[in-house]
Amino acid sequence: MRNILITGGTVFVSRYAAEYFVKKGDHVFVLNRNTRRQSEGVTLIEGDRHDLGDKLKNYHFDIVLDITAYTRADIENLITALDHINQYIFVSSSAVYPETLQQPFSESQKCGPNSIWGDYGTNKLEAERYLLDKVPQAYILRPPYLYGPMENVYREPFVFDCADAERPFYIPKDGSMPLQFFYVEDLCRFMDIIIEKQPEDHIFNVGNREVVTIKEWVKMCYEAAGKKARLVNVDASHSQRDYFCFHDYAYELDVTKQNVLMPDTKPLLEGLKESYQWYRRNSELVNKKPYLDYISKLENEKIY
C-alpha cells in the first residue's frame, strides 16, 4: 500500500484520481478545504494549500499528485509544508507552448507565453520550472483537453444536452478545426506508470494519438447519446466562445514519449459513452454556460 497525497480530491480530475487510486488499494490522502463531499475511502487533510502551517509535518507520503496547482506559489507553499518528498507528479498544461511554435508541440521545444491562454500558461510554466529545480523526482504532465466521468466543465455535457433535446448543433465555420483529448482514466493510468517505472524523462505530453475535427467530435458526442447530429455552420462574424465550448485555437501535442510507456488509450467514442452515462446521473455537478441563449438568438434572427 502506497501513501499518496492528492491535492484537491473533490472535483473532476483530482476526484477521479482519488477514487482511482483508492480502488487500486493505495492509502489516499486528499488535501482540500472540505467544502464539498469527500469520496469514500480517502483520508481528508482539511486545509488551504496557501496556509498549511504544520498540517503535513506528521505525514509521510510516497507520492504527491498535484492536480490543483496553477502558480509557482501553489507549488512552493506545498513543498515548504512537506517534511520529505519522494516522487511528485504535477499535472500542468499544454498552454505552456507558444502558439507560434511548429506543431505538433514536443517536449523539447522552448516554452513561453501563449496569447490564447495568457497568464494561465505562463503561471503553469513558472510552477513547472520551480518544481523541477527543487524536487529531483518531479514529473510534469502536459495534457490537452481532458474529458470523462466527473467532468464539471460544460464541454461534452453541452453537446449531450443538445443531443438529448434533439437540437441541431451549431459549429464554428466548416467544423474542420482539430481537437485533441485525453481520457481522465488514461491520465491516472499514466501517473501510475510514472510512479512504478520512474522514467529518466521528467516532462511528458499526454493525450490521444489521434486528433479529431470539431465536426467529428460533435457527431461522436451525439452518437454517445444515441442520437444523430444535424450540424449548422456559423460564420466567423460571430464570436466562437458565445455559442461553442472551445476557443478558436487549434493545436496538437506530440505524445510519442507517452506512447512508449503506455501505447494504448481509450477510444474517444468509448470514453464519450462513459462520460454521457455519468452526466445523465450527475448533471447538477456541471457548471453550465449560457451557450443556448446565444444560439436562440441566432435561430430567432436567422443570422447563421
Side-chain angles (χ1 to χ4, degrees):
M1 178 183 289
R2 302 171 296 190
N3 284 353
I4 299 178
L5 174 65
I6 294 179
T7 59
T10 60
V11 176
F12 191 22
V13 179
S14 64
R15 187 180 196 94
Y16 194 102
E19 296 187 8
Y20 176 91
F21 285 100
V22 165
K23 288 178 182 177
K24 286 189 66 70
D26 294 307
H27 191 180
V28 175
F29 300 80
V30 293
L31 173 63
N32 61 67
R33 291 172 293 178
N34 198 22
T35 58
R36 293 183 173 93
R37 181 178 63 85
Q38 306 296 323
S39 294
E40 292 185 9
V42 304
T43 298
L44 170 65
I45 303 174
E46 185 174 342
D48 185 329
R49 67 180 298 158
H50 300 116
D51 185 25
L52 288 169
D54 60 358
K55 285 183 180 290
L56 302 180
K57 294 302 182 183
N58 294 323
Y59 293 94
H60 170 82
F61 305 110
D62 301 300
I63 306 106
V64 175
L65 302 182
D66 197 346
I67 299 170
T68 63
Y70 289 96
T71 67
R72 167 180 167 157
D74 291 342
I75 300 280
E76 186 172 1
N77 290 336
L78 184 57
I79 288 177
T80 301
L82 292 165
D83 271 336
H84 179 75
I85 300 173
N86 291 327
Q87 282 183 287
Y88 194 122
I89 298 177
F90 170 40
V91 179
S92 182
S93 170
S94 52
V96 301
Y97 295 110
E99 76 277 15
T100 53
L101 294 178
Q102 183 177 347
Q103 297 191 33
F105 299 142
S106 70
E107 298 92 339
S108 61
Q109 289 175 304
K110 186 176 181 180
C111 296
N114 180 303
S115 65
I116 305 299
W117 301 113
D119 289 345
Y120 174 76
T122 53
N123 286 339
K124 282 280 193 178
L125 183 57
E126 288 179 0
E128 284 186 11
R129 289 170 173 168
Y130 180 82
L131 177 62
L132 291 172
D133 181 59
K134 297 296 182 182
V135 180
Q137 276 301 97
Y139 291 91
I140 307 297
L141 306 185
R142 296 171 176 166
Y145 295 112
L146 292 164
Y147 80 104
M150 304 188 192
E151 180 176 4
N152 64 326
V153 184
Y154 202 42
R155 293 194 293 244
E156 289 78 28
F158 167 53
V159 190
F160 295 152
D161 280 346
C162 292
D164 283 342
E166 299 187 354
R167 294 183 58 95
F169 195 86
Y170 290 72
I171 61 173
K173 305 170 193 173
D174 63 357
S176 63
M177 190 184 90
L179 298 167
Q180 189 175 21
F181 295 93
F182 199 40
Y183 190 59
V184 63
E185 183 182 19
D186 287 333
L187 175 67
C188 293
R189 289 175 54 226
F190 191 67
M191 289 193 288
D192 204 16
I193 289 171
I194 293 291
I195 293 167
E196 292 296 323
K197 293 186 178 293
Q198 300 184 35
E200 291 185 7
D201 289 321
H202 285 258
I203 301 176
F204 289 88
N205 290 340
V206 293
N208 293 347
R209 282 192 184 91
E210 304 83 5
V211 298
V212 294
T213 65
I214 290 174
K215 185 186 302 185
E216 291 168 333
W217 175 73
V218 169
K219 287 180 177 179
M220 280 193 278
C221 286
Y222 269 69
E223 183 178 348
K227 303 293 172 60
K228 185 174 181 179
R230 178 163 62 90
L231 305 179
V232 178
N233 301 94
V234 180
D235 65 48
S237 66
H238 301 280
S239 172
Q240 181 168 314
R241 290 293 283 164
D242 285 336
Y243 64 93
F244 188 63
C245 43
F246 292 100
H247 288 282
D248 186 8
Y249 172 51
Y251 70 95
E252 180 181 355
L253 300 176
D254 180 348
V255 292
T256 301
K257 292 203 302 182
Q258 167 205 287
N259 291 334
V260 171
L261 296 174
M262 190 181 75
D264 60 315
T265 57
K266 187 178 289 288
L268 182 56
L269 179 57
E270 184 179 339
L272 289 172
K273 288 179 178 178
E274 294 179 10
S275 300
Y276 175 76
Q277 293 302 322
W278 179 87
Y279 178 59
R280 288 278 55 90
R281 299 188 301 270
N282 300 277
S283 61
E284 74 281 359
L285 301 179
V286 175
N287 299 321
K288 298 189 177 183
K289 292 191 174 183
Y291 299 128
L292 286 175
D293 292 345
Y294 192 86
I295 289 170
S296 295
K297 178 182 176 182
L298 294 180
E299 292 173 331
N300 292 334
E301 298 183 12
K302 299 186 183 300
I303 54 175
Y304 50 84

